[in-house]
Amino acid sequence: MVSTTPTIAYGKHTDLQIAALGETGFKSDPVKRFDDFEKSGRLAGLHGVVALRGGRIVFERYFDGNDMTWGRPLGNVRFGPDTLHDIRSVTKSIVGLLYGIALEEGRVPALDEPIIEQFPEYSDLASDPQRRRLTIRHALTMTLAMEWNENAPYTDAANSEIAMEQAQDRYRFILDRPILAEPGRGWIYSGGAVALLGKIIEQGTDQSLPEFASEKLFSPLGIDTIEWIRGQDGKASAASGLRMAPRSLARIGQMILDGGRSDGRSVVPKSWLDQSFQPAAMVDIGWPGMHYGYLWYVGEEAITDRTGTYGERFIAAIGNGGQRLFVFPRFDFVLAIATGNYDSPDQWRAPAALLYEVFLPSLTAT
């Protein structure tokens, strides 16, 4: 039912530099705090963590553990800097970057264009005036207001993403969902919305999603190896199919900190990043203090230091099992996390402990 693309290699690039001892930029050392949490079992399921400060690796750890890829057991894996890992729905955020690249090149429709017009093969659906109101922007912000349920486990056909993967025609399945409300006024998390965007990118670029991503995003960032899982219909999963190492994920975070640039060249237009990280969906997404931009979460964390308490803006990509990418622009800080707690109700615990109890206190200690 599931196949993967061959591992894609891109050529030689200088690796991320590891900061010298004493030059990490931390106000207090996170190592002891991390070790205490790890010994206590509060980081159960953690496979890898990479932290960057000022573009350099300031913390990196890996652990052996059981893993899987899209529900297929891999057994016990010895993780290291080059070991690939499912990033699940962090894939969505990367597709958001790809749409911005393709838009800048004039290869995909503008954001207020109707989605249904990009799928002329479904003329019967296009005759519905309600569906003609659904735009690219609605897909990017998860505000299509179409029926979609990803609350069930990702092993259950009651989960809409799984049902999409099992459908004879995934795009008709998505576009034919009932419309529940006024588009743009309610937030419904939807892998289907991202699948539509992935298809539009493929149509506009005349490349597969992995090919376009390799040429325009991964290779320019020096990301040497990835995999992109394909469904039973051979389509690369835009919703959750990417596998990459935490170092590679951290590179994407660093590119964001650098305004979309890497090695002196523009990779993602800065104007697109600026748009992507604004709270475009001014609706309740079920997470206090968090909003949603263009397939990225944006939030503000209350930080207290000797100057007082203030709001610290951050950007996040989040995936099932505890996959995380956090970017804190003012701290010049990136945190990439890979864990194996897929579908667990406690999957948030290890990433939350790492962010809030290990690294943020090290950045803000008085």
Side-chain angles (χ1 to χ4, degrees):
M1 176 177 172
V2 174
S3 62
T4 58
T5 62
T7 298
I8 302 174
Y10 305 111
K12 300 292 184 180
H13 293 269
T14 304
D15 205 353
L16 289 165
Q17 293 183 335
I18 299 176
L21 188 64
E23 296 181 359
T24 63
F26 288 122
K27 295 181 178 180
S28 66
D29 189 356
V31 173
K32 184 180 186 305
R33 194 177 289 111
F34 179 93
D35 289 342
D36 288 345
F37 271 83
E38 196 274 323
K39 289 174 184 175
S40 73
R42 293 184 63 185
L43 302 180
L46 180 63
H47 293 157
V49 55
V50 176
L52 307 183
R53 190 90 194 272
R56 297 187 297 172
I57 295 175
V58 292
F59 188 96
E60 185 172 30
R61 291 284 186 90
Y62 298 98
F63 298 89
D64 296 356
N66 289 325
D67 197 24
M68 59 178 60
T69 178
W70 252 31
R72 177 172 61 86
L74 298 176
N76 189 69
V77 177
R78 175 166 292 182
F79 288 96
D82 299 320
T83 310
L84 299 183
H85 198 284
D86 276 21
I87 62 169
R88 299 297 176 99
S89 288
V90 175
T91 307
K92 295 178 173 67
S93 300
I94 292 174
V95 170
L97 300 179
L98 295 176
Y99 201 91
I101 295 169
L103 184 64
E104 176 76 4
E105 296 182 352
R107 301 167 78 178
V108 291
L111 302 195
D112 293 321
E113 290 297 311
I115 285 183
I116 196 66
E117 289 186 0
Q118 317 314 314
F119 297 86
E121 62 269 37
Y122 307 128
S123 57
D124 57 322
L125 299 178
S127 65
D128 181 351
Q130 274 194 305
R131 282 176 216 286
R132 295 191 62 82
R133 297 171 62 194
L134 304 176
T135 68
I136 305 292
R137 192 185 307 274
H138 292 141
L140 282 164
T141 56
M142 300 283 191
T143 58
L144 288 170
M146 300 176 79
E147 180 185 76
W148 199 267
N149 175 24
E150 293 192 32
N151 293 323
Y154 287 89
T155 53
D156 188 338
N159 184 302
S160 295
E161 183 175 330
I162 301 303
M164 171 184 71
E165 290 296 336
Q166 295 176 349
Q168 185 174 0
D169 181 340
R170 70 173 62 211
Y171 305 114
R172 173 174 283 278
F173 175 84
I174 302 161
L175 291 166
D176 198 26
R177 296 300 87 204
I179 298 173
L180 304 179
E182 181 78 12
R185 296 191 179 179
W187 192 80
I188 299 175
Y189 187 78
S190 171
V194 188
L196 294 175
L197 294 170
K199 179 62 172 176
I200 291 168
I201 292 170
E202 291 185 331
Q203 291 176 162
T205 63
D206 200 26
Q207 293 177 281
S208 72
L209 202 57
E211 288 170 343
F212 184 70
S214 299
E215 178 187 344
K216 298 294 184 175
L217 181 62
F218 299 142
S219 185
L221 294 181
I223 295 173
D224 297 319
T225 310
I226 64 103
E227 291 178 0
W228 206 314
I229 298 171
R230 298 178 183 272
Q232 62 184 4
D233 59 0
K235 304 294 184 182
S237 170
S240 61
L242 262 172
R243 287 174 54 78
M244 60 174 54
R247 276 194 184 187
S248 297
L249 194 56
R251 285 181 182 275
I252 292 170
Q254 186 61 45
M255 177 271 297
I256 289 170
L257 282 181
D258 292 338
R261 301 183 70 82
S262 179
D263 291 333
R265 61 170 286 189
S266 176
V267 179
V268 180
K270 183 180 183 300
S271 59
W272 180 256
L273 296 181
D274 291 342
Q275 294 175 62
S276 296
F277 304 144
Q278 294 299 314
M282 298 301 292
V283 292
D284 181 13
I285 67 171
W287 190 341
M290 293 286 279
H291 298 282
Y292 206 67
Y294 293 166
L295 302 182
W296 287 84
Y297 295 88
V298 291
E300 192 171 272
E301 183 63 29
I303 299 293
T304 301
D305 61 16
R306 64 177 179 273
T307 66
T309 300
Y310 59 92
E312 183 62 43
R313 182 172 174 268
F314 68 95
I315 301 149
I318 295 172
N320 182 18
Q323 323 318 316
R324 299 288 190 273
L325 176 62
F326 294 109
V327 179
F328 283 78
R330 203 170 74 89
F331 289 148
D332 199 11
F333 180 68
V334 174
L335 182 63
I337 301 168
T339 80
N341 299 320
Y342 309 105
D343 286 327
S344 167
D346 293 331
Q347 61 185 270
W348 59 273
R349 292 188 182 277
L354 287 167
L355 179 63
Y356 295 113
E357 300 188 62
V358 175
F359 289 105
L360 283 185
S362 300
L363 291 165
T364 60
T366 56

